[in-house]
Amino acid sequence: MSIKIEHISKSFEDVTALKDISFEVNEGELFGLIGPDGAGKTTLFRILTTLLIADNGSATVAGYDAVNNYKDIRNHVGYMPGRFSLYQDLTVEENLEFFATIFGTTIEENYDLIKDIYVQIEPFKKRRAGKLSGGMKQKLALSCALIHKPKVLFLDEPTTGVDPVSRKEFWEMLKRLQQKGITILVSTPYMDEAALCDRIALIQDGKILEIDTPQEIVKHYPKKIYDIKADKMYELILSLNTYEHNHSVYPFGEFVHYTDQRDDFNPTELIQFLEDKGLENISIQPTEVTIEDTFMELAR
Amino acid sequence: MKKTNVIKAENLTKMFGEFTAVNAISFDVKKGEIFGFLGANGAGKTTAMKMLIGISTPTSGKAEVAGFDVYKNAENIKKNIGYMSQKFALYDDLTVKENITFFGGIYGLSRTQIKEKRTTLINELGLQEVSNELVSSLPLGWKQKLAFSVALLHDPKIIFLDEPTGGVDPITRRQFWEMIYKTAHNGTTVFVTTHYMDEAEYCDRVSIMVDGKIEALDTPKELKKQFKVDSMNDVFLKLARG
Amino acid sequence: MKRFIGFIKKEFYHIFRDRRSLFILFGMPIAQIMLFGFAITNEINNVDIAILDKSKDATTKEIVNKISSSKYFSNREAIENEAEIASVFKKGKIKAILIFENDFNKKLIKEQRATIQIITDATDPNTANTISNFINSILQKYQQEINKDIKIVYQIIPQTQMAYNAELKSVFMFVPGVMTIILMLVSAMMTSISITKEKELGTMEILLVSPIRPFQVIIGKVFPYIFLSVINAIVIIVLSIFIFKMPVRGSLFLLGAESILFIINALSLGILISTISETQQTAMMISLMGLMLPVILLSGFIFPIASMPLPLQVISNVIPAKWFIIILKGIMLKGIGITLVWKETLILLGMTVFFIALSIKKYKIRLE
């Protein structure tokens, strides 16, 4: 077991950040912590990286206790905090060199681990980190977090504020790192990134809603979801909200995701209802459940 | 009835020295439309938007916003638009009421108007119990809904939203989009800049900027069809990767 | 050790790439010492004076003539009574007032002595001092003249009084104060800012989650500033010696050792400030309000401690700068050795140990 969390709770003054959190991350697993801002993701990361002490419960990382063996953990984990936390006035190369030195290693020693990430920013190695684009900053931060060959990698919202192309590249890099045997705990507010993890924990308001593989989580969804579309979006939502049998009505891109309270839901009946409300070009199609649907259902 | 265009841009260009940040973009936005203005960081979105809201003068090209020319009538544009960004929206150290009063004053509403608006707004958002609490004590989702309503205080013709829902929980986010739909339904044009592609899915039409140029402009449905993919995210990836 | 050197290398990158801090580091000491030095000039010319002549006799007229005819003074005004003195000074033109007592000539002949009171505006203490010296020398000359042909020695006694600034200060007196301020500024403010900067940027989080020990971070942070502060101290002393011809009468070695002690004291205060502030802005505010102001106001640098109200005198004792200024003045101006400043040195040492112990105790190995 690479990370083991047992009944962790943490409060700040009058805010409860984490409520009785327990889960385990296996060795070599890519584990995602999925939840919105303020769900408690960062607090949990800080407890695991020994930056905070939990009020209750215990945690081990790579076999070391998060409180008593904090020095060992600090030697063996890589940590990339939520905001870009490198020295902006140092160049790419100087940043990497600095982190290599404080971890008692050199760039050469672990070069093969960071190679395929670092080569992408190497042409800019004389540039100050503050002058890099978002995607490049993120690659540099990842290189710095990996330079000492950590056993466990903690990535707190690495893709927030990064454009889709860089996001995609970043996840591809994580997959390759995982193949090298590094355990990765990554947090993200983007539900669509959940599918890229081996297992995920959905978290909101300091509570874990569910833990499983992304495939299993969507299977657990209790209802059948329908994509509904009509000419006027706002009227459609208003009408659906007044429909007495509705279970949930959520706008979802160009559609509305609709679930019905009844097991024997009949779309034609709803079409009739909507037509009576004056809506036109109505279509109702069954659709696939997404992690986001599950999240909303669990958070209700 | 043909809807009127509230934003008209024609070959709008902005250069910083030798660097062309916005390269001759042309587009129209209709009244009551939800228009998504997408692009990666550094693609020129922010620069383009600054020209449209009258705080940056274009190098060349034409643009009219809410019926006013961006060169000559920038001050009138500012009176007729609302603006909300995720980074700054409300003062954390003022109460809900104080924020509304303050922004009402900035937008030039009279005292009675402010009082009236304040009461309706607080009731509509269900903030009665926290109206005298500091904004910093509110959950993120409430803050954003309040910020949105505050940006609408002066009944602007167009509201500009800068990455409005990043990081918000999925349910609050839907509530937020319902508010946007309602606003558009009432005739206010909504102009959303974002690099989150899932926000793009909600828009009536979207434009995608790459390196200062608009490379695609259509409804999300058409764009997905055109690029033969399932999501706006993939449309973006195909465009950006060439 | 390699870690430590790597850390210090990084610190120097930060310092040399930040123009603002470079300016504070090297521009400030030079600018300050120059300002203090040149603003206080020793030359006077055509100074306006006023006369209150209560006897109006031949002798007083002669003296007034002598003074007004010199190139240094011009007699601008005659006043009638003491009540006018304050208003004359307040107008600002008149720098000195001469008051001849009643029956000046009679007294001079009968009692062989008479008194002239010289009141100078000492808001500019240096000028005031020079003025009174010049007047005294004119009077002395006159005295010699009248005594030449007469057997009896007539004495004119000048009574000098400096208004508004009882304790005289000159450029030499300012050097210890300026040096104290600069060492405090560089050492305490710059370290506290550089440590809180890491907190603010989030890099402290990464440093904490690494094998580098918190005390290594701290020592790595303060080391460059010890080095830079010493350079600053040297620059100030060299400038004072070569540009203002200030004599350093005591041992340079002792001066150096005491300076390093004070630098370490200021650095530990800087660390302490950084443990209680989260942002650079707070660190800067606390440094300015909590350190700089007391150094300027309560250390005896500008306002003499002896003339402060008692509560402030008591408070001044906990200000390290007070003791350092006493030591500096002693060594630089009076040329005394450790035997005479051991008490102050011991107090400074005690404070330093206390601040270091407190900042170690306060320093967090975690985020809260």
Side-chain angles (χ1 to χ4, degrees):
Chain A
M1 216 58 67
S2 208
I3 303 173
K4 194 170 179 180
I5 302 163
E6 283 177 318
H7 306 293
I8 289 269
S9 296
K10 177 78 186 172
S11 300
F12 299 102
E13 283 158 27
D14 51 347
V15 185
T16 311
L18 294 173
K19 291 169 202 153
D20 194 27
I21 302 268
S22 301
F23 67 86
E24 288 171 0
V25 179
N26 300 319
E27 231 169 277
E29 199 170 21
L30 175 53
F31 192 97
L33 198 59
I34 320 283
D37 289 0
K41 302 189 300 285
T42 299
T43 307
L44 184 60
F45 269 71
R46 286 180 169 169
I47 289 171
L48 295 175
T49 52
T50 75
L51 289 169
L52 292 175
I53 296 179
D55 300 338
N56 283 304
S58 63
T60 62
V61 175
Y64 302 111
D65 184 84
V67 179
N68 298 324
N69 307 113
Y70 75 94
K71 285 183 187 168
D72 296 302
I73 293 183
R74 290 178 182 191
N75 272 312
H76 291 112
V77 304
Y79 173 45
M80 200 172 136
R83 17 176 213 157
F84 178 69
S85 303
L86 295 177
Y87 299 102
Q88 316 251 4
D89 54 345
L90 262 53
T91 64
V92 168
E93 198 178 24
E94 285 162 356
N95 263 299
L96 194 60
E97 216 161 53
F98 171 71
F99 285 104
T101 328
I102 64 165
F103 278 100
T105 177
T106 57
I107 299 179
E108 293 74 37
E109 205 173 313
N110 292 316
Y111 189 71
D112 41 304
L113 187 65
I114 60 160
K115 193 179 155 206
D116 58 301
I117 305 163
Y118 189 60
V119 285
Q120 302 176 50
I121 46 172
E122 215 165 8
F124 312 101
K125 66 181 182 186
K126 297 284 177 212
R127 194 181 286 187
R128 304 242 172 120
K131 295 239 154 57
L132 296 175
S133 73
M136 288 205 280
K137 276 183 184 167
Q138 189 198 31
K139 280 168 196 155
L140 175 60
L142 184 61
S143 302
C144 290
L146 281 171
I147 193 66
H148 59 295
K149 214 174 182 185
K151 288 181 183 157
V152 186
L153 191 57
F154 292 95
L155 307 170
D156 192 5
E157 295 203 11
T159 54
T160 297
V162 176
D163 65 83
V165 179
S166 303
R167 263 170 73 183
K168 189 157 192 285
E169 286 173 359
F170 195 80
W171 278 95
E172 286 162 2
M173 289 187 281
L174 292 191
K175 285 281 177 194
R176 283 197 295 273
L177 284 175
Q178 190 196 2
Q179 281 157 15
K180 291 181 177 156
I182 297 174
T183 307
I184 303 172
L185 181 62
V186 58
S187 73
T188 175
Y190 304 121
M191 305 284 158
D192 54 338
E193 290 182 344
L196 303 164
C197 302
D198 294 338
R199 280 197 307 144
I200 53 172
L202 301 179
I203 180 170
Q204 177 157 341
D205 294 333
K207 279 181 289 196
I208 300 272
L209 303 173
E210 191 165 4
I211 301 171
D212 215 321
T213 62
Q215 298 75 20
E216 281 302 314
I217 279 188
V218 293
K219 271 189 210 160
H220 295 165
Y221 194 78
K223 297 268 175 194
K224 187 134 193 60
I225 298 185
Y226 293 88
D227 265 347
I228 302 186
K229 201 171 158 52
D231 272 356
K232 289 171 183 157
M233 191 60 160
Y234 184 60
E235 276 105 327
L236 175 65
I237 296 167
L238 286 185
S239 309
L240 286 172
N241 278 330
T242 57
Y243 190 54
E244 57 174 331
H245 300 296
N246 80 46
H247 172 72
S248 66
V249 177
Y250 293 121
F252 224 96
E254 53 182 312
F255 301 102
V256 172
H257 275 195
Y258 173 83
T259 57
D260 202 88
Q261 289 165 8
R262 300 158 298 177
D263 292 331
D264 56 341
F265 167 62
N266 183 357
T268 37
E269 210 182 290
L270 181 56
I271 291 179
Q272 189 57 50
F273 172 82
L274 292 173
E275 274 172 355
D276 291 346
K277 292 268 175 188
L279 286 153
E280 288 165 6
N281 294 326
I282 302 156
S283 83
I284 301 183
Q285 297 290 330
T287 188
E288 275 173 37
V289 178
T290 68
I291 301 275
E292 202 161 355
D293 292 304
T294 317
F295 192 99
M296 289 191 284
E297 183 61 28
L298 291 166
R300 265 160 79 97
Chain B
M1 186 184 81
K2 199 174 178 296
K3 283 188 173 172
T4 47
N5 288 330
V6 287
I7 300 178
K8 283 184 258 182
E10 222 177 287
N11 294 321
L12 198 61
T13 302
K14 179 81 185 184
M15 302 190 50
F16 297 107
E18 289 293 293
F19 175 68
T20 312
V22 176
N23 191 354
I25 57 169
S26 304
F27 63 94
D28 295 326
V29 182
K30 293 184 194 70
K31 183 176 181 334
E33 190 174 28
I34 302 174
F35 189 82
F37 199 61
L38 318 185
N41 289 326
K45 282 186 320 245
T46 313
T47 314
M49 193 182 68
K50 278 184 181 166
M51 291 192 277
L52 295 177
I53 61 178
I55 58 175
S56 165
T57 313
T59 311
S60 65
K62 279 195 276 185
E64 228 176 67
V65 176
F68 298 104
D69 187 279
V70 290
Y71 292 96
K72 295 178 209 140
N73 276 316
E75 286 314 306
N76 280 327
I77 291 179
K78 288 179 201 166
K79 280 181 202 147
N80 285 286
I81 58 163
Y83 175 73
M84 175 203 161
S85 119
Q86 205 199 351
K87 287 168 207 97
F88 170 79
L90 298 169
Y91 289 99
D92 261 354
D93 51 353
L94 297 184
T95 66
V96 172
K97 271 189 179 171
E98 285 162 351
N99 263 296
I100 300 173
T101 313
F102 172 77
F103 283 102
I106 288 223
Y107 294 138
L109 301 190
S110 73
R111 224 180 255 212
T112 39
Q113 275 176 312
I114 292 177
K115 218 176 156 190
E116 220 170 87
K117 289 257 178 190
R118 195 172 59 202
T119 320
T120 27
L121 205 155
I122 288 173
N123 288 338
E124 263 176 30
L125 293 175
L127 295 173
Q128 296 91 334
E129 306 221 326
V130 293
S131 64
N132 285 318
E133 306 262 329
L134 295 185
V135 163
S136 58
S137 68
L138 300 183
L140 180 68
W142 293 22
K143 269 190 225 177
Q144 272 173 321
K145 283 188 250 174
L146 177 62
F148 182 67
S149 309
V150 165
L152 287 171
L153 269 180
H154 56 307
D155 299 317
K157 293 197 176 117
I158 308 163
I159 180 158
F160 289 84
L161 306 174
D162 196 3
E163 284 165 19
T165 65
V168 189
D169 74 85
I171 294 181
T172 312
R173 185 168 193 202
R174 260 94 202 158
Q175 293 167 346
F176 193 83
W177 274 101
E178 281 181 31
M179 288 176 77
I180 293 180
Y181 286 138
K182 186 181 170 191
T183 309
H185 176 78
N186 292 341
T188 303
T189 305
V190 183
F191 188 95
V192 186
T193 60
T194 183
H195 63 251
Y196 300 130
M197 291 308 133
D198 39 358
E199 277 186 332
E201 307 267 3
Y202 293 81
C203 300
D204 293 330
R205 280 194 310 148
V206 296
S207 75
I208 302 180
M209 262 183 107
V210 181
D211 296 331
K213 283 190 209 146
I214 292 185
E215 294 288 355
L217 201 170
D218 215 323
T219 62
K221 197 179 163 188
E222 280 303 315
L223 286 174
K224 283 185 264 185
K225 210 195 267 175
Q226 188 188 330
F227 286 88
K228 300 186 184 69
V229 288
D230 295 332
S231 69
M232 281 307 294
N233 202 47
D234 293 336
V235 171
F236 189 88
L237 288 177
K238 279 209 164 177
L239 256 181
R241 282 187 167 171
Chain C
M1 201 57 205
K2 238 181 106 188
R3 270 178 206 164
F4 187 63
I5 292 169
F7 199 95
I8 287 174
K9 201 167 123 194
K10 174 198 79 112
E11 286 310 310
F12 276 111
Y13 282 143
H14 288 323
I15 293 166
F16 288 120
R17 284 180 191 173
D18 181 4
R19 296 224 177 111
R20 198 180 47 177
S21 68
L22 257 190
F23 174 76
I24 296 179
L25 273 174
F26 295 109
M28 285 278 280
I30 298 171
Q32 284 227 24
I33 211 86
M34 291 293 183
L35 270 174
F36 276 111
F38 285 117
I40 301 159
T41 161
N42 288 311
E43 271 178 61
I44 60 162
N45 234 329
N46 261 331
V47 171
D48 295 338
I49 56 169
I51 311 285
L52 172 53
D53 191 349
K54 291 180 187 165
S55 49
K56 291 195 174 121
D57 53 39
T59 319
T60 62
K61 272 184 189 142
E62 213 182 327
I63 294 174
V64 171
N65 267 338
K66 285 254 181 236
I67 291 172
S68 331
S69 62
S70 86
K71 65 167 179 160
Y72 306 117
F73 302 105
S74 54
N75 180 11
R76 288 286 168 206
E77 215 169 314
I79 54 175
E80 296 307 321
N81 54 53
E82 270 95 348
E84 284 177 62
I85 294 175
S87 68
V88 164
F89 272 135
K90 273 186 189 139
K91 279 185 219 147
K93 285 282 277 179
I94 303 291
K95 295 291 174 209
I97 299 174
L98 262 64
I99 304 172
F100 296 92
E101 64 176 334
N102 287 325
D103 306 321
F104 191 85
N105 198 23
K106 262 186 222 160
K107 277 186 189 159
L108 195 62
I109 293 167
K110 216 159 82 193
E111 299 166 24
Q112 281 98 50
R113 51 190 299 154
T115 311
I116 304 177
Q117 211 184 348
I118 306 164
I119 303 176
T120 50
D121 175 356
T123 40
D124 178 354
N126 238 53
T127 316
N129 198 17
T130 319
I131 291 171
S132 77
N133 286 341
F134 279 33
I135 295 177
N136 277 334
S137 75
I138 293 173
L139 290 176
Q140 256 166 27
K141 246 194 194 154
Y142 177 72
Q143 217 169 304
Q144 281 164 10
E145 270 171 40
I146 51 173
N147 289 345
K148 232 190 303 186
D149 15 82
I150 311 167
K151 287 272 145 24
I152 317 152
V153 180
Y154 298 107
Q155 260 188 308
I156 298 169
I157 301 167
Q159 287 186 335
T160 317
Q161 182 191 339
M162 305 240 174
Y164 307 123
N165 185 352
E167 193 182 277
L168 262 186
K169 295 205 178 90
S170 69
V171 62
F172 300 160
M173 305 296 271
F174 271 105
V175 170
V178 171
M179 189 159 146
T180 309
I181 288 198
I182 286 167
L183 293 185
M184 197 60 149
L185 185 81
V186 170
S187 312
M189 191 159 98
M190 300 295 266
T191 22
S192 64
I193 287 177
S194 103
I195 296 174
T196 42
K197 192 174 170 188
E198 301 245 6
K199 285 197 203 177
E200 214 177 310
L201 290 177
T203 43
M204 192 55 102
E205 259 180 79
I206 299 191
L207 291 181
L208 284 173
V209 188
S210 83
I212 195 163
R213 299 274 156 267
F215 78 88
Q216 289 176 310
V217 174
I218 293 303
I219 296 174
K221 278 272 158 197
V222 301
F223 185 85
Y225 290 101
I226 295 184
F227 177 74
L228 294 169
S229 302
V230 169
I231 291 183
N232 262 321
I234 293 171
V235 168
I236 295 170
I237 292 171
V238 167
L239 278 180
S240 339
I241 292 175
F242 288 99
I243 297 186
F244 302 113
K245 313 278 179 240
M246 189 189 77
V248 174
R249 301 202 171 90
S251 136
L252 273 175
F253 175 77
L254 181 62
L255 186 67
E258 296 280 2
S259 301
I260 290 173
L261 175 63
F262 181 69
I263 289 168
I264 295 173
N265 180 293
L267 289 172
S268 52
L269 272 171
I271 299 169
L272 199 60
I273 289 171
S274 72
T275 60
I276 52 171
S277 26
E278 285 305 314
T279 63
Q280 296 179 67
Q281 208 186 353
T282 335
M284 191 141 109
M285 290 303 285
I286 298 179
S287 305
L288 285 174
M289 304 301 285
L291 296 181
M292 299 306 295
L293 276 184
V295 169
I296 294 171
L297 301 176
L298 294 176
S299 66
F301 167 36
I302 291 181
F303 305 110
I305 291 171
S307 55
M308 284 178 197
L310 189 66
L312 288 184
Q313 285 193 36
V314 173
I315 294 172
S316 77
N317 286 328
V318 301
I319 291 165
K322 169 189 167 172
W323 306 105
F324 185 57
I325 290 181
I326 295 175
I327 295 171
L328 277 185
K329 281 185 180 168
I331 299 173
M332 287 173 146
L333 305 174
K334 296 181 197 148
I336 52 183
I338 186 73
T339 44
L340 288 171
V341 288
W342 66 270
K343 221 165 56 187
E344 285 81 6
T345 309
L346 214 59
I347 292 172
L348 214 52
L349 191 67
M351 285 179 168
T352 309
V353 172
F354 174 75
F355 289 140
I356 290 177
L358 195 64
S359 47
I360 288 176
K361 195 170 167 281
K362 278 243 163 201
Y363 191 79
K364 295 164 201 136
I365 55 162
R366 294 192 166 82
L367 283 180
E368 53 158 30

